[in-house]
Amino acid sequence: MGSLKLDHPQENNSNSSPMQMTSALDPVEFRRQGHMMVDFIADYYQNIDKYPVLSQVDPGYLRKRLPESAPDNPEPIETILQDVQEHIVPGLTHWQSPSFFAFFASNVSIAGFLGEMLSTGFNVVGFNWVSSPAATELESIVMDWLGNLLRLPKSFLFSGNGGGVIHGSTCEAIVCTMAASRDQMLSRIGGDNIGKLVVYGSDQTHSALQKASQIVGINPKNFRAIEATRSTTFALSPESLKLAISSDIEAGLVPLFLCATVGTTATTAVDPLGPLCDVAKHHGMWVHVDAAYAGSACICPEFRHFIDGIEGVDSFSFNAHKWFFTGLDCCCLWVKNPGALISSLSANPEFLRNKPTDSKQVVDYKDWQIALSRRFRAMKLWLVLRSYGVVNLRNFLRSHVKMAKLFEGLVAMDQRFEIVVPRNFSMVCFRVSPWVATSKGTPTTPTSNSFHQNGIEDNVEKCTNEVNCKLLEAINASGRVFMTHAVVGGMYVIRCAVGVTLTEEKHIAMAWKVVQEHADVILKNHGDDGDAKLKLPLLDKIA
Amino acid sequence: MGSLKLDHPQENNSNSSPMQMTSALDPVEFRRQGHMMVDFIADYYQNIDKYPVLSQVDPGYLRKRLPESAPDNPEPIETILQDVQEHIVPGLTHWQSPSFFAFFASNVSIAGFLGEMLSTGFNVVGFNWVSSPAATELESIVMDWLGNLLRLPKSFLFSGNGGGVIHGSTCEAIVCTMAASRDQMLSRIGGDNIGKLVVYGSDQTHSALQKASQIVGINPKNFRAIEATRSTTFALSPESLKLAISSDIEAGLVPLFLCATVGTTATTAVDPLGPLCDVAKHHGMWVHVDAAYAGSACICPEFRHFIDGIEGVDSFSFNAHKWFFTGLDCCCLWVKNPGALISSLSANPEFLRNKPTDSKQVVDYKDWQIALSRRFRAMKLWLVLRSYGVVNLRNFLRSHVKMAKLFEGLVAMDQRFEIVVPRNFSMVCFRVSPWVATSKGTPTTPTSNSFHQNGIEDNVEKCTNEVNCKLLEAINASGRVFMTHAVVGGMYVIRCAVGVTLTEEKHIAMAWKVVQEHADVILKNHGDDGDAKLKLPLLDKIA
């Protein structure tokens, strides 16, 4: 089959007579419409770089275009697909566009897509083993496969009495592990002491930690976002953790849970797992590692050191739906002590009683997660691992890292810009730099020049932030690329996160060209003359 | 294209040279493999009634068949699909089989499947409006459409300052609404009083309530599962609720949250919303209605009365992934006060800051749910509504109800069986009955005969339960149908839940034949002579 032509939708005969319910899953019709949809999506990928990456619609655009109520009568798939093309596609921000460099990517692949099709087609609800043994068993098997690829200690694998489970999101993984740790702790110190429990992360930790903490009933006053500074490249310092814990203990509180991050959202900083565990374990805390984005990279030997110290933690999660080609949603969580999860999350109503469960020979994943229902998510992970093989998967990840290096190199060659933190993985944090490049070769920085005068440096930072904010807005409004920002150590930085399956080196070169072009305009508007001898933008504002 | 033939998988050329990453989403290859998968799944539906409905594998079957680690090199899709057929399909319990009558169905349709394909293909992460405006706006629109179909009060719709959101599961919906109610209450009575909060349901309420309560940090001692008896057909009695609340208030506790159910899991009982709200609202409690299964039916005028009183509650959810043809996962939740959800669940990290959010003109669904990430689930709901139209959707639901009535009629004609509770929707609760049918026309029941002697009645019930348990095991072991059980009022009952898209009347007739055949054998083995004059099975055991 070739591209999909929708110019002449077939007449819909269903309006005249009521449909049979079984026709809603009639294999012949399923085949016809399924093939049509494959072509529609293949066409979408073929044309994806023609769309503005960031959707350019205004709030409320869709309500103006759609009817006020659901139709009484059926509409043909051809009409619906035309509407998708005309009304939905313009409202998409194209996460699979090769020029999507925002947030972290959520990449998909043919294998991930096919796995999702199978899972949707079977549509089994694998809450316990008996409800679909293959769904449970395949999940346990691929989680062991993946755990081995990450060289996780055996204690995280089923063979070592730990085990892995696929959740929908990191927040869910943290909610579950935190609830488990909370209940373990309360059984030691008494159930009425929930108000004393304290949760720790850094101010670089993903907001999922605070949200999870809030959900499981930790007093909001007992949530600690410890400052991580540029001096540690925004990693959480074990010494700071120690101080925070001591202070809480003195106040009569009980340290409960630490979330360490490998690859923070703002800058891909890596918290030092070993030293942090030494501190936390001294106080009997549960340590979770959130490697949502960067975990995938750790299947490459050269990146594995980023999770050194993992043997000391209680749980570890990463999102295969970010940078492992599965598509949403696929958060892989390993725990050393599944019993703690099960003890907090199990519910055994009579209607689910069955012999395999009673025999205790099987895993019932409903007790490892929030929901009872669960999709057959292992399927897509299995297909990704098999369709590409470990060798190619490693190379895919390396190729993203290589492209990030390329972008980093391009930024470094332009003296108007600064790489803000060392690049660890496939993301580059940069900004228009706050210094005056007095000549091409010798930029002078605020730490060594006259800006260090009282108050002026603050103004320089503020104006620099404004310029970068404007620059990012202009880039994104162009529709040619989409990047997002972070603010670290008071600096507004632009993040270029590489990770989409379709991205090639030419897209990196183009992205940099877009950045430069918009920088030219913005700096020219703010500088004196805009010639080769650059001057600090907005300097006149400061004076 | 026709059926898929996998006898001669193509040679895989990928082993020899490394793949380009972009080939993992190459449109040409996507098209080829996508079409292959459509055929594979169409073939699966075509053959689905040839498989045992309940998987007959033993625990650990799959680990014996799969390699111990992920492959280094890629494998062709043809090989993978052969493995799916040989190793995965036998381990599936076929939820889409027309003879699946277990739990509640989780039905899928062509439109639901296509919607999922689109959502997977775009793979946008719609956490906030700007990250993909269409994902957010379509969700708001279809939730209003669906709310109107259910004739929800305007206060649950966006147009009435309420609104709807699609969650993954009922448990998630309850976690979020309960956390919102908890934080509202704690802001009134002081943040240190979480230990005083009490959650109420009946002993027929889904285990999701207890799990949610546990997750959000309610003291397990403060969870009330109020007994619902046969006298109210297992609905929660407002009087019992009132008593439980009074007793808690006397003990210094604070009533927080009531979950009422429309269509309980065991028997599809319906809690009386209006009178329960009157009690709960007197104490300022949050009332949630869980209509996970039965909510769909309420789009039919003749079933709408089951949610009468809905105007008094705070939140309402039903699972379109159960009985509304979307496939997993699609839990529709409406709330009157989104602000309460947002206040509990929002996190606004810098990296998500954007102008539309700051303008407060848009919905950011991340603040209505647990996770940050979210799939574009509205797509499949939109496709289901449009592809079938309201008229057909109502008729689909009615056709399931009609088939349940048919089954009920067949059971009623066999004097060995009893319908245990009145049928409300598309589920029939029945059992081999405990009475001796002394003649075909005049069965005598335990309430009117000699079994009422001391202790003997208990034994009759126990033995009856054993017989029903054996009967169900035998039915399911046959592989010809799959039903599950419940225990209500001490009775072990068999549930026949109709709801799969492919089920037709002939499957109902066949299911009843299977039940009768196995009942014949079991009753014959336990009776005296097994002839037309039936005798209580196991009666000799009792003596």
Side-chain angles (χ1 to χ4, degrees), chain A residues 115-184:
Chain A
E116 194 70 55
M117 281 176 81
L118 273 176
S119 155
T120 306
F122 294 143
N123 203 47
V124 300
V125 188
F127 39 67
N128 57 13
W129 182 87
V130 80
S131 70
S132 238
T136 296
E137 297 205 10
L138 190 64
E139 186 160 329
S140 299
I141 291 166
V142 294
M143 288 301 286
D144 268 9
W145 283 9
L146 204 45
N148 276 320
L149 285 182
L150 289 163
R151 288 173 33 218
L152 295 186
K154 204 174 173 189
S155 51
F156 283 104
L157 308 182
F158 283 99
S159 51
N161 295 319
V165 58
I166 305 180
H167 280 194
S169 68
T170 302
C171 194
E172 185 183 349
I174 301 181
V175 163
C176 291
T177 50
M178 197 184 290
S181 72
R182 178 199 64 191
D183 295 342
Q184 272 189 334

Coordinates of all heavy atoms in Angstrom, one line a residue, chain A residues 115-184:
Chain A
G115 N 4.4 -2.9 19.2 CA 4.2 -3.5 20.5 C 2.9 -3.0 21.1 O 2.1 -3.7 21.6
E116 N 2.7 -1.7 20.9 CA 1.5 -1.0 21.4 C 0.3 -1.6 20.7 O -0.8 -1.8 21.2 CB 1.6 0.5 21.2 CG 0.6 1.3 22.0 CD 0.9 1.3 23.5 OE1 2.0 1.6 24.0 OE2 -0.1 0.9 24.2
M117 N 0.4 -1.8 19.4 CA -0.7 -2.3 18.6 C -1.1 -3.7 19.1 O -2.3 -4.0 19.3 CB -0.3 -2.5 17.1 CG -0.4 -1.2 16.3 SD 0.2 -1.4 14.6 CE -1.2 -2.1 13.8
L118 N -0.1 -4.5 19.4 CA -0.4 -5.9 19.9 C -1.1 -5.8 21.2 O -2.1 -6.4 21.5 CB 0.9 -6.7 20.1 CG 1.4 -7.5 18.9 CD1 2.7 -8.1 19.2 CD2 0.3 -8.5 18.5
S119 N -0.6 -4.9 22.1 CA -1.1 -4.8 23.4 C -2.6 -4.3 23.3 O -3.5 -4.7 24.0 CB -0.2 -3.8 24.2 OG -0.9 -3.2 25.2
T120 N -2.8 -3.3 22.4 CA -4.2 -2.8 22.3 C -5.1 -3.8 21.6 O -6.2 -3.9 22.0 CB -4.1 -1.5 21.4 OG1 -3.2 -0.6 21.9 CG2 -5.5 -0.9 21.3
G121 N -4.6 -4.6 20.7 CA -5.4 -5.6 20.1 C -5.8 -6.7 21.0 O -7.0 -7.1 21.1
F122 N -4.9 -7.2 21.8 CA -5.2 -8.2 22.8 C -6.1 -7.6 23.9 O -7.0 -8.3 24.4 CB -3.9 -8.9 23.4 CG -3.1 -9.6 22.4 CD1 -1.7 -9.6 22.5 CD2 -3.7 -10.4 21.4 CE1 -0.9 -10.3 21.7 CE2 -2.9 -11.2 20.6 CZ -1.5 -11.1 20.7
N123 N -5.7 -6.4 24.2 CA -6.4 -5.7 25.3 C -6.8 -6.6 26.5 O -7.9 -6.6 27.0 CB -7.7 -5.1 24.8 CG -8.2 -3.9 25.6 OD1 -7.4 -3.0 26.0 ND2 -9.4 -3.8 26.0
V124 N -5.7 -7.3 27.0 CA -5.9 -8.0 28.2 C -5.7 -7.1 29.4 O -4.9 -6.2 29.3 CB -5.0 -9.3 28.3 CG1 -5.2 -10.2 27.1 CG2 -3.5 -8.8 28.3
V125 N -6.3 -7.5 30.5 CA -6.2 -6.6 31.7 C -5.4 -7.5 32.7 O -5.9 -8.2 33.5 CB -7.5 -6.3 32.3 CG1 -7.4 -5.2 33.4 CG2 -8.4 -5.7 31.2
G126 N -4.1 -7.3 32.7 CA -3.2 -8.2 33.5 C -3.0 -7.9 34.9 O -1.9 -7.8 35.4
F127 N -4.1 -7.7 35.7 CA -3.9 -7.3 37.1 C -3.3 -8.4 37.9 O -2.5 -8.1 38.8 CB -5.2 -6.8 37.7 CG -6.5 -7.5 37.3 CD1 -6.7 -8.8 37.7 CD2 -7.5 -6.9 36.6 CE1 -7.9 -9.5 37.4 CE2 -8.6 -7.5 36.2 CZ -8.8 -8.8 36.7
N128 N -3.6 -9.6 37.6 CA -3.0 -10.7 38.3 C -2.5 -11.8 37.3 O -2.8 -11.6 36.1 CB -3.8 -11.3 39.5 CG -5.2 -11.8 39.0 OD1 -5.4 -12.0 37.8 ND2 -6.1 -12.1 39.9
W129 N -1.8 -12.7 37.8 CA -1.2 -13.7 36.9 C -2.3 -14.4 36.0 O -2.2 -14.4 34.8 CB -0.4 -14.8 37.6 CG 0.3 -15.8 36.8 CD1 1.5 -15.7 36.2 CD2 -0.3 -17.0 36.4 NE1 1.7 -16.8 35.4 CE2 0.7 -17.7 35.5 CE3 -1.5 -17.7 36.6 CZ2 0.5 -18.9 35.0 CZ3 -1.7 -19.0 36.0 CH2 -0.7 -19.6 35.2
V130 N -3.4 -14.8 36.7 CA -4.3 -15.7 36.0 C -5.1 -14.9 35.0 O -5.6 -15.4 34.0 CB -5.3 -16.3 37.1 CG1 -6.4 -15.4 37.5 CG2 -5.9 -17.6 36.5
S131 N -5.2 -13.6 35.1 CA -6.0 -12.8 34.2 C -5.3 -12.7 32.8 O -5.9 -12.2 31.9 CB -6.3 -11.4 34.8 OG -5.1 -10.6 34.8
S132 N -4.1 -13.1 32.7 CA -3.4 -13.2 31.5 C -1.9 -13.5 31.8 O -1.1 -12.6 31.8 CB -3.5 -12.0 30.6 OG -4.0 -12.4 29.3
P133 N -1.6 -14.8 32.0 CA -0.2 -15.2 32.4 C 0.9 -14.6 31.6 O 1.9 -14.2 32.1 CB -0.3 -16.7 32.3 CG -1.7 -17.1 32.5 CD -2.5 -16.0 31.8
A134 N 0.7 -14.5 30.3 CA 1.8 -14.0 29.4 C 2.1 -12.6 29.7 O 3.3 -12.2 29.7 CB 1.4 -14.1 27.9
A135 N 1.1 -11.8 30.1 CA 1.3 -10.4 30.4 C 2.2 -10.2 31.6 O 3.2 -9.5 31.6 CB 0.0 -9.6 30.6
T136 N 2.0 -11.0 32.6 CA 2.8 -10.9 33.8 C 4.2 -11.5 33.6 O 5.2 -10.9 33.9 CB 2.1 -11.7 35.0 OG1 0.9 -11.1 35.3 CG2 3.0 -11.8 36.2
E137 N 4.2 -12.7 32.9 CA 5.5 -13.4 32.8 C 6.4 -12.6 31.9 O 7.6 -12.5 32.1 CB 5.3 -14.8 32.4 CG 4.5 -15.6 33.4 CD 4.8 -17.1 33.4 OE1 5.7 -17.6 32.7 OE2 4.0 -17.8 34.1
L138 N 5.9 -12.1 30.8 CA 6.8 -11.4 29.9 C 7.3 -10.1 30.5 O 8.5 -9.8 30.4 CB 6.0 -11.0 28.6 CG 6.9 -10.4 27.5 CD1 7.9 -11.4 27.0 CD2 6.1 -9.9 26.3
E139 N 6.5 -9.5 31.4 CA 7.0 -8.3 32.1 C 8.1 -8.6 33.0 O 9.2 -8.0 33.1 CB 5.8 -7.6 32.8 CG 6.2 -6.3 33.5 CD 4.9 -5.5 33.8 OE1 3.9 -5.6 33.1 OE2 5.0 -4.7 34.8
S140 N 8.0 -9.7 33.8 CA 9.0 -10.1 34.7 C 10.3 -10.4 33.9 O 11.4 -10.1 34.3 CB 8.6 -11.4 35.5 OG 7.5 -11.0 36.3
I141 N 10.1 -11.1 32.8 CA 11.3 -11.5 32.0 C 12.0 -10.3 31.4 O 13.2 -10.1 31.5 CB 10.9 -12.5 30.8 CG1 10.5 -13.8 31.5 CG2 12.0 -12.7 29.8 CD1 9.7 -14.8 30.5
V142 N 11.3 -9.4 30.7 CA 12.0 -8.2 30.1 C 12.6 -7.3 31.2 O 13.6 -6.7 30.9 CB 11.1 -7.4 29.1 CG1 10.8 -8.3 27.9 CG2 9.9 -6.8 29.7
M143 N 11.9 -7.3 32.3 CA 12.5 -6.4 33.4 C 13.8 -7.0 33.9 O 14.7 -6.3 34.3 CB 11.5 -6.2 34.5 CG 10.4 -5.3 34.1 SD 10.9 -3.6 33.6 CE 11.3 -2.9 35.2
D144 N 13.9 -8.3 33.9 CA 15.2 -9.0 34.2 C 16.2 -8.7 33.1 O 17.4 -8.4 33.4 CB 15.0 -10.5 34.5 CG 14.8 -10.8 36.0 OD1 14.6 -9.8 36.8 OD2 14.7 -12.0 36.3
W145 N 15.8 -8.9 31.9 CA 16.7 -8.6 30.7 C 17.3 -7.2 30.9 O 18.5 -7.0 30.7 CB 15.9 -8.6 29.4 CG 15.6 -10.0 28.9 CD1 15.7 -11.2 29.5 CD2 15.1 -10.3 27.5 NE1 15.3 -12.2 28.6 CE2 14.9 -11.7 27.4 CE3 14.7 -9.5 26.5 CZ2 14.4 -12.3 26.3 CZ3 14.2 -10.1 25.3 CH2 14.1 -11.5 25.2
L146 N 16.4 -6.2 31.1 CA 16.8 -4.8 31.1 C 17.7 -4.5 32.3 O 18.6 -3.8 32.3 CB 15.5 -4.0 31.1 CG 15.6 -2.6 30.6 CD1 16.4 -2.4 29.3 CD2 14.2 -2.0 30.4
G147 N 17.3 -5.1 33.4 CA 18.1 -5.0 34.7 C 19.5 -5.5 34.4 O 20.5 -4.9 34.9
N148 N 19.6 -6.6 33.7 CA 21.0 -7.1 33.4 C 21.7 -6.2 32.5 O 22.9 -6.0 32.6 CB 20.8 -8.5 32.8 CG 20.7 -9.6 33.8 OD1 21.4 -9.6 34.8 ND2 19.8 -10.6 33.6
L149 N 21.0 -5.6 31.5 CA 21.7 -4.7 30.6 C 22.2 -3.5 31.4 O 23.3 -2.9 31.0 CB 20.7 -4.2 29.5 CG 20.4 -5.1 28.4 CD1 19.4 -4.5 27.4 CD2 21.6 -5.6 27.7
L150 N 21.5 -3.1 32.4 CA 21.9 -1.9 33.2 C 23.0 -2.4 34.3 O 23.4 -1.5 35.0 CB 20.7 -1.3 33.9 CG 19.7 -0.6 33.0 CD1 18.4 -0.4 33.7 CD2 20.3 0.8 32.6
R151 N 23.3 -3.7 34.3 CA 24.1 -4.2 35.3 C 23.7 -3.8 36.7 O 24.5 -3.4 37.6 CB 25.6 -3.9 35.0 CG 26.1 -4.6 33.8 CD 27.5 -4.2 33.4 NE 28.4 -3.8 34.4 CZ 29.3 -2.8 34.3 NH1 29.4 -2.1 33.2 NH2 30.1 -2.5 35.3
L152 N 22.4 -3.9 36.9 CA 21.8 -3.8 38.2 C 22.3 -4.9 39.1 O 22.4 -6.0 38.6 CB 20.3 -3.7 38.2 CG 19.6 -2.5 37.5 CD1 18.1 -2.6 37.7 CD2 20.2 -1.2 38.0
P153 N 22.5 -4.7 40.4 CA 22.8 -5.8 41.3 C 21.7 -6.9 41.2 O 20.6 -6.5 41.0 CB 22.9 -5.2 42.7 CG 23.0 -3.7 42.4 CD 22.4 -3.4 41.1
K154 N 22.1 -8.1 41.5 CA 21.1 -9.2 41.4 C 19.9 -9.0 42.3 O 18.8 -9.5 42.1 CB 21.8 -10.5 41.7 CG 21.1 -11.7 41.1 CD 21.8 -13.0 41.3 CE 20.9 -14.1 40.8 NZ 21.4 -15.5 41.1
S155 N 20.2 -8.3 43.4 CA 19.1 -8.0 44.4 C 17.9 -7.3 43.8 O 16.9 -7.2 44.5 CB 19.7 -7.3 45.6 OG 20.4 -6.1 45.2
F156 N 18.1 -6.7 42.6 CA 17.0 -6.0 42.0 C 16.2 -6.9 41.0 O 15.2 -6.5 40.4 CB 17.5 -4.7 41.2 CG 17.8 -3.6 42.1 CD1 19.1 -3.2 42.4 CD2 16.8 -2.8 42.7 CE1 19.4 -2.2 43.2 CE2 17.1 -1.7 43.5 CZ 18.4 -1.4 43.8
L157 N 16.8 -8.1 40.8 CA 16.1 -9.0 39.8 C 15.3 -10.0 40.5 O 15.5 -10.3 41.7 CB 17.2 -9.6 38.9 CG 18.3 -8.7 38.3 CD1 19.2 -9.4 37.5 CD2 17.5 -7.6 37.5
F158 N 14.4 -10.6 39.7 CA 13.6 -11.7 40.3 C 14.4 -12.8 40.8 O 14.2 -13.4 41.8 CB 12.5 -12.2 39.3 CG 11.4 -11.2 39.2 CD1 11.3 -10.3 38.1 CD2 10.4 -11.2 40.1 CE1 10.3 -9.4 38.0 CE2 9.3 -10.3 40.0 CZ 9.3 -9.4 38.9
S159 N 15.5 -13.1 40.1 CA 16.4 -14.2 40.5 C 17.1 -13.9 41.8 O 17.7 -14.8 42.4 CB 17.4 -14.4 39.4 OG 18.1 -13.2 39.0
G160 N 17.1 -12.6 42.2 CA 17.7 -12.3 43.5 C 16.7 -11.8 44.5 O 17.0 -11.0 45.4
N161 N 15.5 -12.2 44.3 CA 14.4 -11.9 45.3 C 13.9 -10.4 45.2 O 13.2 -10.0 46.1 CB 14.7 -12.3 46.7 CG 14.8 -13.8 46.8 OD1 14.0 -14.5 46.2 ND2 15.8 -14.3 47.5
G162 N 14.4 -9.7 44.3 CA 13.9 -8.3 44.0 C 12.9 -8.5 42.8 O 12.4 -9.6 42.6
G163 N 12.8 -7.4 42.0 CA 12.0 -7.6 40.8 C 11.7 -6.2 40.2 O 11.8 -5.2 40.8
G164 N 11.2 -6.3 39.0 CA 10.9 -5.1 38.2 C 9.4 -5.1 37.8 O 8.8 -6.2 37.6
V165 N 8.9 -3.9 37.6 CA 7.5 -3.7 37.2 C 7.4 -2.5 36.3 O 8.3 -1.6 36.5 CB 6.6 -3.5 38.5 CG1 7.1 -2.4 39.3 CG2 5.1 -3.4 38.1
I166 N 6.5 -2.5 35.4 CA 6.3 -1.3 34.5 C 5.2 -0.5 35.0 O 4.0 -0.9 35.1 CB 6.1 -1.8 33.1 CG1 7.3 -2.7 32.6 CG2 6.1 -0.5 32.2 CD1 7.1 -3.2 31.2
H167 N 5.5 0.7 35.4 CA 4.5 1.7 35.8 C 4.2 2.7 34.6 O 4.9 2.6 33.6 CB 5.0 2.5 37.0 CG 4.8 1.8 38.3 ND1 4.9 2.4 39.5 CD2 4.6 0.5 38.6 CE1 4.7 1.6 40.5 NE2 4.5 0.4 39.9
G168 N 3.2 3.5 34.8 CA 2.9 4.5 33.8 C 3.8 5.7 33.8 O 4.1 6.3 32.8
S169 N 4.3 6.1 35.0 CA 5.1 7.3 35.1 C 6.0 7.2 36.4 O 5.8 6.4 37.3 CB 4.1 8.5 35.3 OG 3.5 8.4 36.6
T170 N 7.0 8.1 36.3 CA 7.9 8.2 37.5 C 7.1 8.6 38.7 O 7.4 8.1 39.8 CB 9.0 9.3 37.2 OG1 9.6 8.9 36.0 CG2 9.9 9.4 38.4
C171 N 6.1 9.5 38.6 CA 5.4 9.9 39.8 C 4.7 8.7 40.4 O 4.8 8.6 41.7 CB 4.4 11.0 39.4 SG 3.8 11.9 40.9
E172 N 4.2 7.9 39.6 CA 3.5 6.7 40.2 C 4.5 5.8 40.9 O 4.3 5.3 42.0 CB 2.8 5.9 39.0 CG 2.1 4.7 39.5 CD 1.5 3.9 38.4 OE1 1.5 4.3 37.2 OE2 1.0 2.8 38.6
A173 N 5.7 5.7 40.3 CA 6.8 4.8 40.9 C 7.2 5.4 42.2 O 7.4 4.7 43.2 CB 8.0 4.7 39.9
I174 N 7.2 6.7 42.3 CA 7.6 7.3 43.6 C 6.5 7.2 44.6 O 6.7 7.0 45.8 CB 8.1 8.8 43.4 CG1 9.3 8.9 42.4 CG2 8.5 9.4 44.7 CD1 9.8 10.3 42.1
V175 N 5.3 7.5 44.2 CA 4.1 7.3 45.1 C 4.2 5.9 45.7 O 4.0 5.8 46.9 CB 2.8 7.5 44.4 CG1 1.6 7.0 45.2 CG2 2.6 9.0 44.1
C176 N 4.4 4.9 44.9 CA 4.3 3.5 45.4 C 5.5 3.2 46.3 O 5.3 2.6 47.4 CB 4.3 2.5 44.2 SG 2.7 2.6 43.3
T177 N 6.7 3.6 45.9 CA 7.8 3.3 46.8 C 7.8 4.1 48.1 O 8.1 3.7 49.2 CB 9.2 3.5 46.1 OG1 9.1 4.9 45.5 CG2 9.4 2.5 45.0
M178 N 7.3 5.4 48.0 CA 7.2 6.2 49.2 C 6.1 5.7 50.1 O 6.3 5.7 51.3 CB 6.9 7.7 48.8 CG 7.2 8.6 49.9 SD 6.8 10.3 49.5 CE 8.0 10.7 48.3
A179 N 5.0 5.2 49.6 CA 4.0 4.6 50.4 C 4.5 3.4 51.1 O 4.2 3.2 52.3 CB 2.7 4.3 49.6
A180 N 5.3 2.6 50.4 CA 5.9 1.4 51.0 C 6.8 1.8 52.1 O 6.8 1.2 53.2 CB 6.6 0.6 50.0
S181 N 7.7 2.8 51.9 CA 8.6 3.2 52.9 C 7.9 3.8 54.1 O 8.2 3.5 55.3 CB 9.6 4.2 52.4 OG 9.0 5.5 52.1
R182 N 6.9 4.6 53.8 CA 6.1 5.2 54.9 C 5.4 4.1 55.8 O 5.5 4.2 57.0 CB 4.9 6.0 54.2 CG 4.0 6.7 55.2 CD 2.7 7.1 54.4 NE 2.0 5.9 54.0 CZ 1.0 5.8 53.1 NH1 0.5 7.0 52.6 NH2 0.4 4.7 52.8
D183 N 4.9 3.1 55.2 CA 4.2 2.1 56.0 C 5.2 1.2 56.8 O 4.9 0.8 57.9 CB 3.3 1.2 55.1 CG 2.1 2.1 54.5 OD1 1.9 3.2 55.1 OD2 1.5 1.6 53.6
Q184 N 6.4 1.0 56.2 CA 7.4 0.3 56.9 C 7.8 1.1 58.1 O 8.0 0.5 59.2 CB 8.7 0.1 56.0 CG 8.7 -1.1 55.1 CD 10.0 -1.3 54.5 OE1 10.8 -0.3 54.3 NE2 10.4 -2.5 54.1

